[in-house]
Amino acid sequence: MSQGVEVVGLYVRDQDEALAFYVEKLGFRVHTDARAGDYRWLTVQHPDQPSFQLGLFAPGPPTLDAGTAQTLREIVAKGAMPPLVLMVDDCRAAYDRMRARGVEFTQEPVERFGTVDAGFRDPSGNGWKMIQSRR
């Protein structure tokens, strides 16, 4: 039997806005975009990691009531969710490329712990650490 994590989900305030950010600014590609009534299953993939999907999910029905969904949107917007990590070959080059595409960074590249890292947030407030791979 084969097992493994295939999809990790993020809550986003607007799925179209999140899709544009992850595809146009970070270089991900759409894996699945399916609708069932008001519900939308939207996942993207990094081109170098085709076995893994990042779900861009709007908090709401059928999984959450309106009050809980609003609370989650507020928590995400404050950057209170744990950060995700994007590994790159060259943090400074990726930083320059992504800034040119309009990504707003919360931390410029800095050397520490034997590597280089930077920080940014998506339009919904989800935090990311971008870390240079150790060679």
Side-chain angles (χ1 to χ4, degrees), residues 7-29:
V7 179
V8 169
L10 292 178
Y11 283 128
V12 298
R13 69 174 170 219
D14 180 284
Q15 288 178 298
D16 290 324
E17 175 186 53
L19 181 60
F21 177 82
Y22 283 93
V23 171
E24 296 168 15
K25 297 187 181 195
L26 299 190
F28 285 58
R29 63 179 176 230

Side-chain angles (χ1 to χ4, degrees), residues 75-95:
I75 290 169
V76 171
K78 291 179 181 181
M81 303 303 285
L84 293 113
V85 177
L86 180 65
M87 298 301 292
V88 297
D89 290 330
D90 183 331
C91 188
R92 288 182 176 86
Y95 170 84

Side-chain angles (χ1 to χ4, degrees), residues 15-71:
Q15 288 178 298
D16 290 324
E17 175 186 53
L19 181 60
F21 177 82
Y22 283 93
V23 171
E24 296 168 15
K25 297 187 181 195
L26 299 190
F28 285 58
R29 63 179 176 230
V30 176
H31 180 275
T32 304
D33 190 352
R35 295 174 192 258
D38 290 336
Y39 183 76
R40 183 179 184 187
W41 180 268
L42 176 62
T43 65
V44 294
Q45 294 176 305
H46 190 279
D48 294 335
Q49 200 173 13
S51 65
F52 180 78
Q53 298 170 55
L54 184 62
L56 306 175
F57 304 128
T63 55
L64 301 169
D65 62 79
T68 303
Q70 180 59 34
T71 300

Side-chain angles (χ1 to χ4, degrees), residues 10 21-22 25-28 46 54 76 79 81-88 91 94-96 98-99 101-109 112 117-131:
L10 292 178
F21 177 82
Y22 283 93
K25 297 187 181 195
L26 299 190
F28 285 58
H46 190 279
L54 184 62
V76 171
M81 303 303 285
L84 293 113
V85 177
L86 180 65
M87 298 301 292
V88 297
C91 188
Y95 170 84
D96 291 340
M98 291 166 59
R99 274 198 56 197
R101 291 181 186 161
V103 174
E104 295 181 24
F105 280 80
T106 56
Q107 174 205 312
E108 294 181 2
R112 63 174 148 204
D117 69 83
F120 64 93
R121 291 173 65 187
D122 74 8
S124 297
N126 292 296
W128 281 85
K129 288 301 275 182
M130 182 170 63
I131 302 174

